[in-house]
């Protein structure tokens, strides 16, 4: 076909259209009616009705920090809409979440790695992959994974980069998996990357019954003949001793510096310091030459349910600082560790996590679960940890509370509140009674004094009467 033939064919086509136009008029009349049908009735078609609710009906529960303050500031909310997946991300159906000391600080506004409220906390969790984004090749739907992220994991569904997930080994429970990332990576990198822990060395682990404390103690057992000093309240000594702590120290009744010096006069090779303030000074002074102080927190700032400005100011006032010349002369080193600021160092974290999971498979480490709480009970979980009642990891589980427990829960709380009120009334009554008794005693004393004064006056009068006749005689 030549190029000149094309206009002729176009013209013929237009003529045939004009010839056929009258016969197609009825169809053309029906066309104007179609737009209103598509605009009004299309929404009512089965395909559309299925699509819209599928987006809207996807809901998941999430814990949200609504503002800084007490336990009641973390509230359970229901979020609507399926989270969107970007390239390289996966969606995880969360089963269990880890509670960390940083979460307690974050609730009070003392942890700068958590975005401003409202925000979902949570740095570690475990669950199953429910959806996979583009460019993800090493993860698939159904994989059981543990997750480490900056925040946003205290909820039933979480979207995270695939590089932040690790496959759960066989035999590991979701609770154990949620207890692993933060505590064990922290302990591992402090002991082996900074501390260079070697056989026959000695170490002080503060809060030895906590998550990091138990992780560090277990990792010390992978090195031959390491002497572990651990501080904890007396009720926890048996447990931490069985876990590998050589010398248990009750920090509430004894000076841990004196106790360490009694056993190891020369000092220690490594001190792990999560306390801050004046305790960091003590830690540095406990080091041997060539010793290493690794500071990784400021737990002394946390005093009470809400931010305690006095405790914060006191900790900052006593903050440890040292001149480099002193480090040279003392042959000591000071290191600082903060896992929250390593979130961009993916390879470093992956290497540490790979080693930790291998140690788990070999049976050399195993997370200790202290207790599990439903998302509805997050306040109780935080209280248990903040009051130092836990031995091991406190875990939040996403499985909803049974209705029976929900009904019983307020009753228990009411009973506790009633008991507190009754105890307060009793205390107030005792105080009032004691005040009344004190007043009665004071009245009795005053009356006795009055009686004594009256008796003295009467005696004086009698004496005066006796003396009067003598004067007349004279």
């Amino acid at each position: 076909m030549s190029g000149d033939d094309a206009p002729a064919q176009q013209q013929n086509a237009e003529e045939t259209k004009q010839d056929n136009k009258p016969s197609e008029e009825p169809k053309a009349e029906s066309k104007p009616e179609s737009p209103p049908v598509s605009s009004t009735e299309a929404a009512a078609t089965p395909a559309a009705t299925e699509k819209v609710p599928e987006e809207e009906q996807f809901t998941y529960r999430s814990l949200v920090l609504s503002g800084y303050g007490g336990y009641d500031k973390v509230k359970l909310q229901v979020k609507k809409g399926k989270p969107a997946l970007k390239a390289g991300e996966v969606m995880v159906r969360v089963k269990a979440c880890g509670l960390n000391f940083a979460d307690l600080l974050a609730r009070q506004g003392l942890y700068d790695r958590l975005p401003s409220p409202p925000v979902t906390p949570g740095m570690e969790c475990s669950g199953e992959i429910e959806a996979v984004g583009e460019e993800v090749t090493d993860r698939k739907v159904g994989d059981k994974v543990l997750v480490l992220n900056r925040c946003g994991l205290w909820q039933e569904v979480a979207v995270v980069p695939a590089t932040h997930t690790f496959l759960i080994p066989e035999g590991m429970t979701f609770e154990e998996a949620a207890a692993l990332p933060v505590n064990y990576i922290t302990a591992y990198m402090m002991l082996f990357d900074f501390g260079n822990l070697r056989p026959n060395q000695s170490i002080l682990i503060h809060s030895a019954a906590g998550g990091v404390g138990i992780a560090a103690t277990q990792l010390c057992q992978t090195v031959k003949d390491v002497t572990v000093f651990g501080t904890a309240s007396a009720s926890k000594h048996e447990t931490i001793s069985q876990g590998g702590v050589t010398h248990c120290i009750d920090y509430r009744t004894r000076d841990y510096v004196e106790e360490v010096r009694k056993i190891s006069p020369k000092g220690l090779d490594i001190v792990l310091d999560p306390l801050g303030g004046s305790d960091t000074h003590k830690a540095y002074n406990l080091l041997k030459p060539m010793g290493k102080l690794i500071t990784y927190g400021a737990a002394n700032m946390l005093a009470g349910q809400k931010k305690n400005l006095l405790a914060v100011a006191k900790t900052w006032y006593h903050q440890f600082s040292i001149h480099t010349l002193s480090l040279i002369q003392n042959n000591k080193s000071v290191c600082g560790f903060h896992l929250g600021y390593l979130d961009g160092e993916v390879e470093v974290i992956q290497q540490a996590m790979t080693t930790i999971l291998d140690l788990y498979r070999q049976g050399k480490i195993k997370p200790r679960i202290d207790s599990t709480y439903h998302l509805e009970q997050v306040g109780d979980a935080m209280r248990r940890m903040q009051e130092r009642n836990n031995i091991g990891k406190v875990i939040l589980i996403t499985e909803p509370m049974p209705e029976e427990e929900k009904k019983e829960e307020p009753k228990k709380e009411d009973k506790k509140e009633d008991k507190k009120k009754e105890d307060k009334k009793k205390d107030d009554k005792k105080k009032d009674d004691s005040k009344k008794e004190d007043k009665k005693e004071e009245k009795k004393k005053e009356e006795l004094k009055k009686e004594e004064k009256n008796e003295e006056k009467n005696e004086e009068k009698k004496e005066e009467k006796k003396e009067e006749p003598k004067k007349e005689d004279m």
Side-chain angles (χ1 to χ4, degrees):
M1 177 172 48
S2 66
D4 295 331
D5 293 331
Q9 284 186 349
Q10 263 184 342
Q11 191 175 355
N12 292 335
E14 286 174 9
E15 287 175 0
T16 54
K17 279 182 185 177
Q18 287 175 357
D19 293 337
N20 294 332
K21 194 173 181 183
S23 62
E24 291 178 356
E25 277 181 5
K27 291 183 181 177
E29 286 175 6
S30 63
K31 281 182 183 177
E33 293 178 6
S34 60
V37 171
S38 61
S39 62
T40 57
E41 293 180 12
T45 58
T49 48
E50 285 175 13
K51 193 173 181 181
V52 174
E54 188 180 356
E55 296 278 328
E56 293 180 357
Q57 284 178 6
F58 190 95
T59 60
Y60 57 99
R61 298 181 309 149
S62 174
L63 287 171
V64 178
L65 178 66
S66 57
Y68 301 129
Y71 305 125
D72 60 334
K73 292 297 181 181
V74 183
K75 298 175 181 178
L76 188 60
Q77 298 180 3
V78 176
K79 293 184 177 180
K80 292 182 179 181
K82 200 169 188 177
L85 276 177
K86 296 177 184 176
E89 292 183 334
V90 295
M91 184 188 294
V92 178
R93 176 65 62 172
V94 179
K95 302 293 183 182
C97 316
L99 177 63
N100 292 287
F101 207 82
D103 298 315
L104 304 181
L105 292 170
R107 196 194 70 240
Q108 294 189 2
L110 298 172
Y111 184 73
D112 57 359
R113 294 302 288 163
L114 186 74
S116 300
V119 62
T120 294
M123 295 178 283
E124 59 188 349
C125 74
S126 61
E128 292 182 9
I129 292 180
E130 203 167 77
V132 176
E134 295 178 3
E135 300 177 15
V136 177
T137 57
D138 57 348
R139 295 287 181 270
K140 64 182 185 299
V141 174
D143 280 348
K144 294 180 179 181
V145 293
L146 55 87
V147 184
L148 178 67
N149 205 47
R150 182 178 168 187
C151 63
L153 300 182
W154 282 3
Q155 51 190 354
E156 290 179 325
V157 175
V159 172
V160 295
T163 53
H164 290 198
T165 66
F166 304 88
L167 294 174
I168 296 176
E170 267 188 58
M172 181 182 282
T173 65
F174 283 121
E175 288 79 11
E176 287 176 336
L180 203 71
V182 172
N183 293 160
Y184 280 82
I185 290 175
T186 298
Y188 180 85
M189 296 185 79
M190 288 194 299
L191 289 175
F192 298 108
D193 289 318
F194 276 147
N196 190 25
L197 182 65
R198 300 191 303 279
N200 301 308
Q201 289 192 325
S202 56
I203 180 171
L204 172 61
I205 301 173
H206 284 289
S207 303
V212 174
I214 286 177
T217 303
Q218 289 181 4
L219 289 167
C220 284
Q221 307 310 303
T222 64
V223 181
K224 190 177 179 183
D225 296 330
V226 173
T227 302
V228 179
F229 292 81
T231 64
S233 55
S235 61
K236 302 175 182 178
H237 284 189
E238 186 179 353
T239 303
I240 64 172
S241 178
Q242 290 171 356
V245 174
T246 319
H247 303 289
C248 304
I249 303 169
D250 184 1
Y251 67 95
R252 293 181 177 178
T253 58
R254 295 182 180 277
D255 184 342
Y256 64 85
V257 174
E258 290 180 6
E259 295 301 308
V260 169
R261 289 288 184 193
K262 285 177 187 176
I263 300 164
S264 181
K266 290 184 178 181
L268 303 168
D269 296 293
I270 300 172
V271 177
L272 304 183
D273 169 42
L275 305 175
S278 59
D279 286 287
T280 311
H281 291 267
K282 294 176 183 178
Y284 182 79
N285 293 330
L286 271 174
L287 293 176
K288 292 178 181 178
M290 301 303 293
K292 303 172 189 71
L293 164 61
I294 305 163
T295 180
Y296 67 103
N300 286 334
M301 287 199 297
L302 196 70
Q305 190 180 150
K306 298 179 181 178
K307 186 193 287 186
N308 187 321
L309 293 175
L310 183 63
V312 173
K314 189 177 177 183
T315 303
W316 278 110
Y317 180 76
H318 292 291
Q319 196 67 23
F320 177 75
S321 62
I322 191 166
H323 197 279
T324 51
L325 189 61
S326 298
L327 290 173
I328 294 168
Q329 293 169 346
N330 293 325
N331 288 292
K332 296 178 180 180
S333 65
V334 178
C335 309
F337 183 83
H338 195 307
L339 184 59
Y341 283 93
L342 283 177
D343 53 356
E345 302 297 324
V346 177
E347 290 182 8
V348 174
I349 298 296
Q350 285 178 341
Q351 288 172 5
M353 198 71 227
T354 300
T355 305
I356 290 164
L357 292 173
D358 285 341
L359 289 171
Y360 177 87
R361 291 186 188 96
Q362 295 167 27
K364 293 183 178 179
I365 62 169
K366 185 178 175 65
R368 179 188 173 90
I369 308 301
D370 170 77
S371 51
T372 58
Y373 292 85
H374 294 276
L375 294 181
E376 295 92 331
Q377 301 169 307
V378 63
D380 295 330
M382 289 190 293
R383 183 181 288 106
R384 180 168 181 80
M385 189 173 186
Q386 189 163 327
E387 293 178 356
R388 313 294 201 277
N389 292 325
N390 60 302
I391 303 177
K393 193 76 172 182
V394 178
I395 295 291
L396 298 171
I397 56 174
T398 58
E399 181 186 347
M401 282 180 69
E403 289 298 323
E404 293 178 2
E405 287 186 32
K406 283 183 182 178
K407 289 176 183 176
E408 289 175 7
E409 199 70 23
K411 288 179 182 178
K412 287 179 183 176
E413 289 176 359
D414 291 341
K415 284 179 181 177
K416 286 180 183 177
E417 288 297 322
D418 292 338
K419 194 176 180 183
K420 284 180 183 178
K421 287 177 182 178
E422 286 176 7
D423 292 338
K424 194 177 180 183
K425 283 180 182 178
K426 286 178 182 178
D427 291 336
D428 292 338
K429 195 176 180 182
K430 284 180 182 178
K431 287 177 183 178
D432 291 336
D433 291 339
S434 62
K435 284 180 182 178
K436 286 177 182 177
E437 287 178 5
D438 291 339
K439 285 180 180 179
K440 285 179 181 179
E441 289 293 325
E442 287 176 2
K443 281 183 181 180
K444 284 181 181 179
K445 286 178 182 178
E446 287 175 1
E447 287 174 359
L448 286 170
K449 284 180 182 179
K450 285 179 181 179
E451 287 177 2
E452 287 175 359
K453 284 180 181 179
N454 290 331
E455 286 179 0
E456 287 176 1
K457 285 179 181 179
N458 291 332
E459 288 293 327
E460 286 175 1
K461 286 179 180 179
K462 286 179 182 178
E463 290 293 326
E464 287 175 0
K465 285 179 180 180
K466 285 180 183 178
E467 290 175 359
E468 281 175 2
K470 289 180 182 178
K471 286 179 184 178
E472 289 175 357
D473 292 338
M474 289 176 68

